[in-house]
Amino acid sequence: MPEAVDGYCLSAAGLTKRFGGFHALRDVDIAVREGSIHAVIGPNGAGKTTLFNLLSGVMAPDSGEIRFRDRPLGRLRPHGRAALGIARTFQNIRLFGHMTVLENVMLGEHWRIYPSLWRSFLKAAWHRPFGEAPEETEMRRRALETLEFVGLAEKRHAMATDLPYGEQRLLELGRALAMEPGLLLLDEPAAGMNIRETEDLDALICRVRDRGVTVVLVEHDMNLVMGISDWITVLNFGDKIAEGHPSEVQRDPAVIEAYLGEEETL
Ligand code: ADP
Ligand code: MG
């Protein structure tokens, strides 16, 4: 996957999204450096998930443009963006509950290889009368490597939804990594995790970045955000109100004001 000439992995300009008359996002610009960890923060309802929905192609913006490694994404659907190297996880975990941990990760790989045929794989996972094809053996091996990377190899035969929430989030992250993305969008990956799990996640996200994957992170856990982010964009009521290095953003009066009355403090 070629790197962007200007050093930005992702850039978006003038992103606006309305629901009815309500602005969920208003004229937001964001530029994410190749190889960085870039956090998007803001109080509940600020528009963070909406931004991810626009970046990943789940929703189309009312106006604005998104470029990935200098290529305009236009109206490309999520599977088309995934094939280019944009993967995401969801604030509300979306796993295939009737499949094992390993199969969920294999599905991520399959999506990368055959983005339009993943449904046939789902069927194949249920009906396997003639044993396993060689490609499937290779996919299984790679999926196991990914599970080792996220620390879930021992749970590979468990049903996905039998895992505690923290591990379900790791699994979703593993499934996204199996797509071998250049850009990974993580929507509240620490939600439902205890302090210990959050610390491990902190290290894991850094290892993902060290593999050359650019990470955009929506997260409420400020220790996590301030500790690992190279750059932070702050949204409030759909507007971008600040951006900068963690130390600058933390001291920004507009950011402090936006968080007053929120449970989370900077
Ligand atoms: P955040 O992730 O920062 O908490 P969201 O992007 O989920 O915020 O939501 C921003 C605003 O847009 C909220 O007021 C929310 O109710 C509204 N919103 C988000 N998605 C939809 C949708 N699909 N339909 C209608 N309103 C939505
Ligand atoms: Mg959200």
Side-chain angles (χ1 to χ4, degrees), residues 43-50 91-92 187-188 218 220:
N44 280 327
K48 305 179 297 294
T49 296
T50 301
Q91 184 172 350
N92 306 313
D187 198 348
E188 302 207 18
V218 164
H220 275 298

Side-chain angles (χ1 to χ4, degrees), residues 12-33:
L15 284 184
T16 293
K17 181 70 187 175
R18 284 181 301 268
F19 295 110
F22 175 80
H23 272 95
L25 276 184
R26 187 174 10 229
D27 200 19
V28 168
D29 299 341
I30 184 168
V32 178
R33 280 205 178 279

